[in-house]
Amino acid sequence: MVAPGLVFGLMMPLILWVSRSAGVDFRFASYIDNYMVLQKEPSGAVIWGYGIPGATVSVTVCQVHETIMKKVTSVKAHSNTWMVVLDPMKPGGPFEVMAEQTSGTMNFTLRVHNVLFGDVWLCSGQSNMKMTVSQIFNATREMSDTAAYQSVRILSVSLAQAEQELEDLAGLDLPWSKPTSENLGHGDFTYMSAVCWLFGRYLYDTLQYPIGLVSSSVGGTPIEAWSSRRSLKACGISKQGSVQTGGEDIQSGRKPTRELRSDPFSFISPDSVRGPSKHSVLWNAMIHPLHKMVLKGMIWYQGESNMNYNVDLYNCTFPELIEDWRQTFHYGSQGETERFFPFGFVQLSSDLSNSTSEEGFPQIRWHQTADFGYAPNVRMPNTFMAVAMDLGDRNSPFGSIHPRDKQTVAYRLHLGARAMAYDEKHLTFQGPLLEKIELLVDKGLLNLTYYQKIQVQRQDNKIFEISCCSDHQCKWLSAPMNTSSTWTLALNINPCHGTVVAVRYAWTTWPCEYKQCPLYHPNNTLPAPPFVAFLTKQTS
């Protein structure tokens, strides 16, 4: 017979081990931490984590020892996760969020402090989104300009890849933090994203309430790595490096059964891509784990790595990515993230690299708009675009493909957000858009009428081109700018001795020098975006 004292002595380590193990198993999701921003009203923020299956979890929001609300749930057996949706909260803070797990006689408590309620924006893309504040113009001043923005909180996701969709993040480069010179410019292409930070700062200047910024970006990555298998399949992409059309592989050389533009750069291997390029691996590991987070909206800066890879599918892959991300975040947050949340993006800037195909940049710019030339449009509702083709940076120490003027990029993005996400009805957030084309053959002119007023900043004899056809052959010719008025611009078409069938604007990799494109909106220096348009009738 074993002595009772010995039995108790043997059991004590086991009891302690069980207790500690249960405590370790009870935790918040990786990104729920001190200094975080939770989405304000009208949405209810989601708090979730892991626990002991079947245990009861109580989540309490407190402010200065006063309980604001309490929510109770239980841990799901199949996933070991728990989740509550908080009541909608007005912007402000700070608050403390406490979670308590009860399982039998065991209680464990978690706390996060200095929590604010405001608007949460997700920022993603490749290296131009990844560039830190230390890499941009006026970096020293920008990094020191943080005292007034302590309610703009930042978080940066670590690089990770996964073959399947993860429920939580593998790691964080920067957990929720107040902005400092150190975490705004930790190192080249690390944290914090300059575009993301400046966008949030401009929003805070307007809104004057907390902003949460989540950066999840990786340099040198094609859109396919950020896309779910579902969205790639919707564009006929069934596996790495292949495109299925009616069951046939385009790489096999068989004729596709659906219409695709012929382009020699469409389906070659992404050998110019330096970051992770395998399909869906970044979606799985760096975006899907955030899908329970309640968002106000997101911004995106990507496309350079698709200039030589599936370029002609970008007009499908990008709209499908937007649709899939919206649907996933809406359902993941129990409907608290709006189904069609605002989605902003940066149209590509310029590049002097010899490795860039001359058609790659203008095609991606066009495909970024689903071939409409502007956003929002019927394929991309509730989106907004920052044109950046006039921000080329010949002397960037990071290569001309990485322009340093991220302030203008972020400013143009924030105008779109104010118009689309914050319903500023009369705010102009995009440059002049083409409305009508008239071909005046007898006068040798092509008249362009714009929806908005235009300011002709300078004359340019090459940036406009016309497609001139004769003997069943067409070629692009320069169409010098002629006369202009408040709404219209005339082009000289005399160089064409055949039939003019189309016109295009800024259809080159480097269309103009820094802020020196010909056409801008007169009130806010927003450039007219590039376009290509076909003529439907002629006027003699």
Side-chain angles (χ1 to χ4, degrees):
M1 181 174 178
V2 180
L6 179 60
V7 172
F8 183 75
L10 291 171
M11 289 180 63
M12 273 300 293
L14 179 62
I15 293 170
L16 287 173
W17 182 86
V18 170
S19 174
R20 288 169 182 164
S21 175
V24 170
D25 288 343
F26 181 51
R27 59 185 172 87
F28 286 120
S30 60
Y31 55 82
I32 294 176
D33 207 344
N34 302 327
Y35 304 109
M36 67 180 172
V37 176
L38 295 173
Q39 183 57 42
K40 71 169 186 65
E41 62 183 4
S43 299
V46 168
I47 301 291
W48 73 282
Y50 297 88
I52 301 172
T56 298
V57 176
S58 302
V59 176
T60 308
V61 178
C62 303
Q63 189 173 42
V64 195
H65 307 299
E66 177 188 356
T67 298
I68 307 299
M69 76 178 81
K70 184 174 183 178
K71 300 287 181 178
V72 180
T73 188
S74 59
V75 181
K76 296 178 182 177
H78 68 282
S79 63
N80 296 350
T81 62
W82 53 269
M83 174 193 288
V84 297
V85 179
L86 302 180
D87 297 333
M89 293 281 290
K90 294 184 182 298
F95 297 89
E96 181 181 74
V97 176
M98 181 177 69
E100 183 178 18
Q101 176 181 262
T102 303
S103 179
T105 60
M106 295 185 295
N107 289 333
F108 299 96
T109 302
L110 306 170
R111 286 183 173 86
V112 290
H113 66 267
N114 206 320
V115 175
L116 304 178
F117 285 85
D119 281 339
V120 182
W121 286 82
L122 172 61
C123 312
S124 188
Q126 56 180 113
S127 55
N128 269 304
M129 182 63 84
K130 191 74 174 171
M131 281 180 74
T132 64
V133 181
S134 63
Q135 296 177 268
I136 66 174
F137 287 138
N138 301 315
T140 301
R141 179 172 60 81
E142 296 289 6
M143 287 190 294
S144 65
D145 186 18
T146 61
Y149 298 102
Q150 294 299 292
S151 292
V152 181
R153 305 291 174 79
I154 55 179
L155 177 149
S156 186
V157 175
S158 298
L159 168 62
Q161 304 177 62
E163 290 295 326
Q164 302 296 327
E165 293 178 344
L166 303 184
E167 284 303 305
D168 201 2
L169 295 169
L172 294 169
D173 284 343
L174 179 71
W176 280 112
S177 304
K178 295 181 178 181
T180 66
S181 58
E182 168 63 19
N183 58 36
L184 291 178
H186 186 72
D188 292 352
F189 302 105
T190 52
Y191 58 84
M192 172 65 177
S193 162
V195 170
C196 192
W197 161 250
L198 294 166
F199 171 79
R201 199 181 71 183
Y202 285 129
L203 284 183
Y204 181 82
D205 286 341
T206 299
L207 301 169
Q208 291 295 303
Y209 60 69
I211 300 291
L213 302 171
V214 179
S215 175
S216 185
S217 306
V218 182
T221 48
I223 196 171
E224 289 79 4
W226 296 100
S227 303
S228 72
R229 291 188 177 93
R230 296 178 300 277
S231 61
L232 292 176
K233 186 176 181 181
C235 296
I237 302 174
S238 62
K239 59 183 179 180
Q240 185 79 24
S242 68
V243 181
Q244 297 291 333
T245 57
E248 294 182 333
D249 191 335
I250 285 182
Q251 286 188 330
S252 70
R254 299 187 183 98
K255 186 177 180 180
T257 56
R258 63 183 174 87
E259 184 180 353
L260 286 173
R261 268 192 192 169
S262 174
D263 187 287
F265 298 99
S266 294
F267 307 108
I268 63 174
S269 173
D271 52 0
S272 62
V273 174
R274 294 181 300 278
S277 61
K278 192 171 183 181
H279 294 178
S280 304
V281 292
L282 300 180
W283 158 260
N284 290 338
M286 296 180 66
I287 300 298
H288 186 269
L290 299 168
H291 75 292
K292 296 184 182 75
M293 180 183 287
V294 183
L295 302 178
K296 176 65 175 182
M298 75 160 299
I299 56 173
W300 170 261
Y301 196 158
Q302 190 276 336
E304 297 90 344
S305 289
N306 282 96
M307 285 184 300
N308 296 325
Y309 181 57
N310 284 349
V311 60
D312 272 0
L313 291 179
Y314 204 92
N315 58 0
C316 180
T317 51
F318 186 37
E320 285 295 334
L321 176 143
I322 296 172
E323 165 61 19
D324 187 64
W325 286 27
R326 283 172 165 169
Q327 182 171 302
T328 302
F329 276 81
H330 177 69
Y331 290 118
S333 65
Q334 306 296 302
E336 297 300 323
T337 296
E338 288 184 11
R339 174 64 178 84
F340 295 97
F341 62 76
F343 192 109
F345 63 96
V346 183
Q347 195 179 47
L348 293 193
S349 182
S350 303
D351 183 30
L352 293 173
S353 170
N354 293 328
S355 64
T356 302
S357 77
E358 187 57 29
E359 281 290 305
F361 256 80
Q363 282 194 33
I364 288 293
R365 289 189 193 114
W366 186 244
H367 293 337
Q368 284 179 298
T369 68
D371 299 352
F372 283 83
Y374 54 86
N377 58 59
V378 294
R379 286 281 313 281
M380 301 165 64
N382 211 27
T383 60
F384 52 95
M385 175 176 72
V387 176
M389 67 177 181
D390 66 331
L391 302 179
D393 186 353
R394 289 182 176 272
N395 300 314
S396 172
F398 314 104
S400 61
I401 203 167
H402 298 119
R404 288 168 290 176
D405 184 1
K406 294 300 191 274
Q407 291 91 334
T408 300
V409 170
Y411 180 77
R412 291 172 179 175
L413 276 173
H414 112 281
L415 290 178
R418 285 169 58 186
M420 302 302 297
Y422 298 100
D423 208 27
E424 290 194 38
K425 296 289 188 185
H426 303 294
L427 180 69
T428 301
F429 66 99
Q430 52 192 350
L433 302 176
L434 186 66
E435 179 181 18
K436 185 173 63 173
I437 307 171
E438 291 179 285
L439 181 60
L440 307 177
V441 177
D442 58 331
K443 296 180 180 179
L445 297 175
L446 189 68
N447 267 3
L448 308 179
T449 303
Y450 285 81
Y451 282 103
Q452 301 104 314
K453 292 181 180 180
I454 61 172
Q455 176 179 310
V456 177
Q457 181 163 285
R458 65 180 182 85
Q459 293 293 119
D460 190 309
N461 292 332
K462 294 182 179 180
I463 199 165
F464 281 98
E465 297 173 293
I466 50 174
S467 180
C468 181
C469 300
S470 61
D471 299 327
H472 305 291
Q473 291 186 333
C474 300
K475 59 181 178 180
W476 289 100
L477 302 174
S478 296
M481 296 168 60
N482 192 299
T483 59
S484 63
S485 67
T486 305
W487 303 89
T488 64
L489 175 67
L491 305 178
N492 181 354
I493 60 169
N494 286 325
C496 178
H497 300 294
T499 303
V500 178
V501 299
V503 59
R504 66 187 187 184
Y505 173 68
W507 207 264
T508 63
T509 300
W510 193 284
C512 48
E513 293 304 314
Y514 181 73
K515 293 189 176 180
Q516 289 298 312
C517 278
L519 298 181
Y520 288 82
H521 191 283
N523 297 338
N524 52 23
T525 64
L526 293 176
F531 72 82
V532 59
F534 292 89
L535 280 61
T536 55
K537 65 179 181 178
Q538 300 184 12
T539 305
S540 57

